[in-house]
Amino acid sequence: MNSKVIIAGIIIVITICITGCLADQSENQTPVAPEKVTISDLLNSADKFADKPVMVEGKISSQCGSGCWFIMSDDNGDLYVNLKPNNFVIPPAMGKKVTVIGNVIIKDNDLALVGSSVNLDGKTYP
C-alpha cells in the first residue's frame, strides 16, 4: 500500500514540474505584432505577407448572411476575410468601416485573410 502512495506522489510531482516548465516556456515567447498594411500592399506583394499576421482597414462591401466571411474594400481593391476557421462571426455591417487582424493565406493563387480579430463600431470580435 505504501509503495502505491509513494508512486502516486512521484507521478503528481513529475506532472506539476512538467506543467510548470511548459507554462514558463509559453510565457517567455514574445507574440508577433501584426504589421499594419493596406489592401493594395497585400494585392501587390502577397508572397511577402503569406502566413504572417497583419492589420488591415477598409469597409465591408459584401458579407455572408451568417457573418462568417466578408469582403473588405478600399480605394485600391478588395480582400476576402474568412472568420470561420477561428469560429466567430460578426453582425451585419455592410458599408461600415472595419479593422481586421489576421493571417494572410494564398491558396490556388487566391489571396485571403483568416481573421482572428475584427474591430467594428468600436467593438472587437471575438
Side-chain angles (χ1 to χ4, degrees), residues 34 42 49-56 68-70 72 79-88 99-107 110-118 125-126:
L42 295 175
F49 299 102
D51 299 318
K52 294 183 181 173
V54 295
M55 178 186 298
V56 188
C68 63
W69 64 262
F70 57 91
M72 65 185 301
L79 179 63
Y80 175 79
V81 179
N82 190 359
L83 307 177
K84 191 172 184 177
N86 287 316
N87 297 315
F88 74 99
T99 302
V100 180
I101 295 175
N103 281 352
V104 175
I105 60 167
I106 302 170
K107 185 175 179 181
D110 289 327
L111 173 69
L113 188 63
V114 175
S116 57
S117 174
V118 176
Y125 300 87

Side-chain angles (χ1 to χ4, degrees), residues 32-54:
V32 177
E35 182 176 348
K36 189 171 182 178
V37 297
T38 65
I39 293 174
S40 178
D41 292 336
L42 295 175
L43 296 175
N44 293 327
S45 304
D47 290 335
K48 175 182 172 184
F49 299 102
D51 299 318
K52 294 183 181 173
V54 295

